[in-house]
Amino acid sequence: MMSARDVLQVLGLLEAAGVTVWLDGGWGVDALLGEQTRPHDDLDLAVSAADLDLFNEVMRANGFTMFREDSAFNFVLADPSDRRVDAHLVDLATTTADGFHGPAGLAYPVGSLDGTGTILGQRVACCTAEFQVISHTGYEIDDDDVRDVMALHHRFGIPVPPSIQAGPTGRA
């Protein structure tokens, strides 16, 4: 599990080293909401692809090793306490004609990294609420996904995608 204090510790280590990251996923949602709404198994981070070597160096120096590699641009690290960091690389050096960062990273839309939120009262960079809602589609959702999107909808008035309206079982 990743506690709020764990999140701030990891962010502090990366910030001190000059690694550019944004909260994504569940902790990104909770940062936007300004409070922890549920337990989190991991910490999702969008990581500047330009900082990949430094990111890996900092994480290794703090006991994190490869847990799982999902793709060239997405991997999960874990430490001996089983705290997990799910890294999503984003290539800020190039913007595609259709408005995405890339190609040496995951396709984050331009502007999706412009969010700010708070964890335990500390201001943090995160993905925007609009991006968080969009990114909760295109895969098999669970109850946490539904709760996250509905919380963003209620707080920010973002429309709920049909796949979330149907719920995790696919039934409305």
Side-chain angles (χ1 to χ4, degrees):
M1 297 308 267
M2 288 292 286
S3 72
R5 292 200 187 289
D6 293 331
V7 171
L8 292 179
Q9 178 191 23
V10 170
L11 292 178
L13 294 168
L14 295 169
E15 181 181 348
V19 177
T20 305
V21 298
W22 300 263
L23 293 182
D24 198 353
W27 273 114
V29 169
D30 280 358
L32 289 164
L33 297 171
E35 64 180 316
Q36 184 174 354
T37 62
R38 62 178 176 85
H40 298 279
D41 293 335
D42 64 1
L43 169 61
D44 291 280
L45 292 177
V47 179
S48 171
D51 292 342
L52 176 59
D53 291 339
L54 186 54
F55 173 81
N56 284 330
E57 180 182 315
V58 169
M59 298 304 284
R60 248 190 329 269
N62 287 279
F64 286 86
T65 58
M66 186 64 71
F67 176 77
R68 181 181 75 234
E69 187 171 2
D70 295 330
S71 76
F73 306 131
N74 178 220
F75 55 91
V76 179
L77 304 175
D79 73 359
S81 298
D82 201 32
R83 297 182 307 169
R84 296 182 187 172
V85 175
D86 190 348
H88 308 256
L89 298 183
V90 58
D91 177 9
L92 301 174
T94 306
T95 302
T96 63
D98 55 350
F100 288 87
H101 295 292
L106 298 175
Y108 279 81
V110 172
S112 63
L113 303 173
D114 294 342
T116 58
T118 59
I119 301 290
L120 296 177
Q122 183 173 320
R123 190 176 170 103
V124 295
C126 57
C127 296
T128 64
E130 294 79 9
F131 175 75
Q132 287 285 7
V133 169
I134 291 167
S135 69
H136 279 80
T137 61
Y139 63 92
E140 189 173 327
I141 61 169
D142 62 21
D143 288 334
D144 287 339
D145 296 317
V146 172
R147 279 193 294 273
D148 287 351
V149 169
M150 294 309 295
L152 293 170
H153 165 71
H154 287 106
R155 178 72 57 89
F156 300 106
I158 299 166
V160 178
S163 61
I164 298 293
Q165 290 174 2
T169 62
R171 296 185 304 269

